[in-house]
Amino acid sequence: MINLWLGASASDAQYVFLLPNKPILPDDVDEVFLAKPDSAVLIELNGNHWRKILTIMAKLIVQDYPAWRECRDVNVFNQVGIAFSVDQLNDYKGILFVVGNTFRDQLPVSKSAEEAGVKHRAYVSYPYIWCPYLDYRQFPNILIETLREYILEKKCLTL
């Protein structure tokens, strides 16, 4: 699974998260699971770490913020694709979250990127968002709210 991709395909995803760490997958994983992963199974196999990752993703992309739990548990992968290598991003056209520092040499922060956040920072230059690792110590709710404003503004501009 060298080119593991989870969730919506590059051509269908509205958001792609480029993550440095692959999750543990079920022993009987198949193409159906990879295309529409079961969040509960990922959390069960990977623990709190992946619960946090999926929660932050859901909070960032959900239209109706109070519905983020349902988004995480039921349909996050309808809109989200997760890549684990820069090589997988060839045909992608939506918003790309470059998560953590692992890929910053290959996808450096643009000089034109806007800084978002105060204590914890992300950088936005569409279609890219360079952000901290998806963990609440590095990516608190205040940064989630700040980035949601950028994302919602971008959606309004493209409608």
Side-chain angles (χ1 to χ4, degrees):
M1 295 211 171
I2 205 157
N3 284 320
L4 176 64
W5 181 283
L6 293 176
S9 68
S11 59
D12 293 334
Q14 294 175 33
Y15 310 93
V16 167
F17 289 81
L18 178 59
L19 293 178
N21 302 318
K22 296 177 183 175
I24 298 168
L25 298 173
D27 291 334
D28 60 347
V29 72
D30 59 13
E31 294 300 316
V32 173
F33 183 88
L34 295 176
K36 182 83 168 144
D38 184 326
S39 295
V41 171
L42 287 174
I43 292 167
E44 181 180 328
L45 291 172
N46 295 277
N48 198 40
H49 177 73
W50 268 79
R51 183 187 59 77
K52 291 176 190 175
I53 289 171
L54 294 172
T55 297
I56 292 171
M57 285 179 183
K59 286 181 173 183
L60 285 167
I61 68 151
V62 70
Q63 289 295 307
D64 180 25
Y65 190 75
W68 68 262
R69 281 182 187 85
E70 180 181 355
C71 177
R72 178 195 65 199
D73 297 342
V74 178
N75 57 18
V76 70
F77 290 108
N78 292 344
Q79 299 176 69
V80 169
I82 303 176
F84 300 92
S85 165
V86 173
D87 301 339
Q88 296 173 288
L89 304 174
N90 296 336
D91 297 326
Y92 181 60
K93 294 177 179 64
I95 295 175
L96 173 64
F97 290 86
V98 181
V99 177
N101 294 318
T102 302
F103 302 106
R104 295 250 175 125
D105 286 341
Q106 293 169 288
L107 291 172
V109 175
S110 169
K111 290 183 185 348
S112 64
E114 291 182 47
E115 192 172 302
V118 179
K119 181 177 178 186
H120 301 281
R121 291 185 179 86
Y123 302 90
V124 181
S125 180
Y126 288 118
Y128 298 99
I129 297 176
W130 294 267
C131 63
Y133 194 75
L134 305 181
D135 180 279
Y136 287 120
R137 290 170 290 196
Q138 300 172 53
F139 210 130
N141 281 328
I142 189 74
L143 184 56
I144 292 170
E145 292 167 16
T146 300
L147 287 179
R148 278 182 57 78
E149 290 177 20
Y150 278 92
I151 293 165
L152 292 172
E153 178 182 307
K154 172 71 172 171
K155 281 193 161 214
C156 288
L157 293 175
T158 59
L159 292 178

